[in-house]
Amino acid sequence: MAYRNKVYVSMDADNDLRYYYLMKAWKQNDYSSFNFYDAHDINNIYDKSEASIKAGLQERFKNTKVFVLLVGEHTKYLYKYVRWEIEQAIKREIPCIVVNLNGKRSMDQDRCPALMREALAVHISFNSKILQYALENWPSLFEQYHKEGKTGAYYYDENVYKKLGI
């Protein structure tokens, strides 16, 4: 079994790719403590057929420790890859962090894909400090909640955001 230390980021690549690039910029910033091992660095997928792309993404999932879903205005309408990626994360019991690009700090019923509304996941706003906090803390909580059979949306209360200065 592969060593699972990567963060798999799923998004609407047509509309929200800039947020993924911003996350990568946070990681590169010398003054930021934000860091993650990006699953997208594992392999490049050159064959653009759906079967080939999904096979390459499967390889990335084998090394994934945390699944991050960037939720924008159109994310819930994406079925070809985003829905498939959500299904993979849930099936593989990977801790899921749902990041609302509109700043909402809990589940956004209007934008969150239906599969993720019922899944065991933490929902946060798009900010490096809360995302880093979730990357460090959610996996162990997820494991505990999963063993207890819990499902559904979780979120951090305002005290966590306040403690982080946001």
Side-chain angles (χ1 to χ4, degrees), residues 36-71:
F36 69 101
Y37 296 103
D38 193 351
H40 294 289
D41 292 339
I42 291 174
N43 61 359
N44 290 316
I45 303 167
Y46 298 109
D47 180 352
K48 298 303 179 193
S49 70
E50 183 176 346
S52 178
I53 289 170
K54 287 183 176 177
L57 296 177
Q58 289 278 12
E59 284 302 308
R60 293 176 182 174
F61 269 108
K62 289 179 184 175
N63 292 282
T64 296
K65 178 181 177 183
V66 178
F67 177 79
V68 172
L69 175 63
L70 301 180
V71 176

Side-chain angles (χ1 to χ4, degrees), residues 65 95 134-146:
K65 178 181 177 183
L135 288 169
E136 292 170 358
N137 294 283
W138 179 246
S140 59
L141 279 174
F142 173 89
E143 184 131 345
Q144 175 189 336
Y145 293 165
H146 188 266

